[in-house]
Amino acid sequence: MAKVLYLDQNAWVSLARGAWDKASYPRDHLRLVKVVEALQKNRFVVPLSFANIYETSKINDPVRRANMARTQATISQGQVFRGRRRILGETLTSYLADKFAIARAPPEERWFLSDLWFEAVADYSHETFDFALTDAVLDHMHSYPAAMLFHYLTASDEDVRLENVRRFSAGSGDIVAGIEAGRAIVASEPLALRKRAYSARLIIDELDFILATGRRLGLDWNNLSDIGPSLVRSIPVDVPILSTERELAVRLEDQARPIAENDLRDMSAFTIVLPLADVVIGEKAFVNLARQARLDKTYATRLLTTIDDL
């Protein structure tokens, strides 16, 4: 079976340059050829993350955006990693079912991938998205996922695109401000203590979701005490998406520089893809953080910083 390869946006920029002008960007073109040949040999599938899609939608030059969108849609074939909530829900459910010996059907193979581009945010339902798609429309989108992704990235209303970028950037700014305030409080504390503190934060943030997940499995969970202290401690350590976030976040806080919006996108992508992909190509800074935490060893994921090493 083809392995799952994740490319961060810098790697996609290189491939798009190679597709745009091989004479001006010969090294990038060689990288593009390497990836295309690997796809032709069925060595990899190359799904996108929400961070990839958002970064491309931010490009203001419509020609550059179309070239990037064409490259991403062609190579990914419109496949995306599902959003954080679905991946947390599936992995948490599996973890709790194992802990309590609750029988359940295993998920489909590669359940974490979708061919609907918007499921990089959340799984589609009328309630989640506040609009309904007919079966005919969904069938069409499933039949032409690459074309649907390309259309979204290149043919969306310009005012809507700009407003989406503005809102996301504003929300990211609020999150960064909160992180920076927290950094000042825990700056002198040892790593082990900061990891415990981040675990507590994850449990608090996700408590309602954890309780609801337990109830769906038949557990009589209504408050924190029902989960029990041992499980409260182990969930942020053993559930991959939470553990990866914790390990990266506490090390990001250690960096001797301000945290930027790009850091949030990189961390959100790594948190989702690192435990699930076979190969991850990312920025040196986040690859180094992941290696420091031995996440590559934990999840048997090959971490690279350039397509040249693929």
Side-chain angles (χ1 to χ4, degrees):
M1 177 182 289
K3 293 183 177 181
V4 178
L5 167 65
Y6 176 71
L7 305 177
D8 82 339
Q9 196 69 1
N10 286 335
W12 282 111
V13 168
S14 177
L15 296 182
R17 282 198 302 246
W20 176 257
D21 188 345
K22 67 180 182 180
S24 299
Y25 303 103
R27 189 169 182 180
D28 296 307
H29 184 71
L30 288 175
R31 291 169 180 156
L32 176 66
V33 170
K34 175 182 280 194
V35 171
V36 170
E37 288 180 347
L39 294 177
Q40 290 172 339
K41 295 175 182 176
N42 198 36
R43 288 181 56 204
F44 297 110
V45 294
V46 193
L48 301 168
S49 67
F50 167 75
N52 293 141
I53 295 172
Y54 174 74
E55 289 279 3
T56 299
S57 72
K58 275 183 63 180
I59 300 172
N60 288 321
D61 183 334
V63 176
R64 283 186 56 235
R65 188 168 70 253
N67 181 55
M68 176 65 81
R70 185 176 296 106
T71 304
Q72 290 181 321
T74 301
I75 291 175
S76 73
Q77 287 298 290
Q79 275 202 316
V80 298
F81 284 91
R82 294 182 184 274
R84 183 181 192 278
R85 184 58 76 208
R86 169 63 190 280
I87 290 174
L88 174 58
E90 187 63 51
T91 52
L92 177 63
T93 298
S94 294
Y95 179 71
L96 295 177
D98 288 344
K99 279 286 186 180
F100 291 94
I102 298 170
R104 65 185 292 267
E108 295 180 1
E109 196 166 25
R110 294 197 170 161
W111 56 269
F112 52 87
L113 301 181
S114 172
D115 55 10
L116 299 176
W117 63 264
F118 47 82
E119 290 197 325
V121 178
D123 277 17
Y124 169 75
S125 72
H126 168 66
E127 294 76 19
T128 301
F129 282 80
D130 201 27
F131 62 81
L133 297 173
T134 67
D135 289 343
V137 169
L138 284 171
D139 287 345
H140 180 78
M141 298 184 80
H142 281 297
S143 298
Y144 303 100
M148 294 298 99
L149 172 64
F150 181 77
H151 183 271
Y152 166 72
L153 290 171
T154 60
S156 296
D157 181 272
E158 182 66 2
D159 290 337
V160 172
R161 184 188 71 82
L162 291 172
E163 180 62 14
N164 287 341
V165 171
R166 186 196 67 78
R167 290 188 181 189
F168 188 88
S169 184
S172 297
D174 293 340
I175 294 172
V176 168
I179 293 173
E180 291 291 2
R183 287 175 87 184
I185 296 172
V186 301
S188 61
E189 302 295 344
L191 179 64
L193 179 59
R194 287 188 287 112
K195 287 168 68 171
R196 290 198 294 273
Y198 201 90
S199 290
R201 188 188 317 173
L202 286 171
I203 290 292
I204 292 169
D205 289 347
E206 299 292 354
L207 180 59
D208 288 344
F209 187 77
I210 293 169
L211 292 172
T213 302
R215 288 194 295 268
R216 282 194 294 272
L217 287 169
L219 302 173
D220 186 21
W221 282 5
N222 297 292
N223 53 55
L224 183 64
S225 62
D226 294 331
I227 302 175
S230 176
L231 205 53
V232 165
R233 288 192 298 270
S234 67
I235 285 173
V237 177
D238 295 339
V239 176
I241 191 170
L242 299 180
S243 177
T244 303
E245 178 180 336
R246 183 185 75 147
E247 295 294 341
L248 292 176
V250 296
R251 286 169 173 81
L252 182 61
E253 291 173 345
D254 269 345
Q255 303 302 296
R257 60 173 178 80
I259 293 173
E261 181 182 325
N262 285 346
D263 293 321
L264 298 185
R265 291 198 294 275
D266 287 341
M267 191 171 80
S268 70
F270 262 58
T271 296
I272 288 173
V273 309
L274 198 152
L276 299 169
D278 297 293
V279 184
V280 172
I281 297 179
E283 285 191 348
K284 184 178 294 186
F286 266 84
V287 167
N288 286 341
L289 293 180
R291 285 174 175 163
Q292 289 169 21
R294 297 183 62 80
L295 293 173
D296 54 335
K297 307 298 183 185
T298 300
Y299 300 114
T301 304
R302 189 179 179 202
L303 296 177
L304 305 174
T305 58
T306 173
I307 293 171
D308 297 336
D309 294 335
L310 188 63

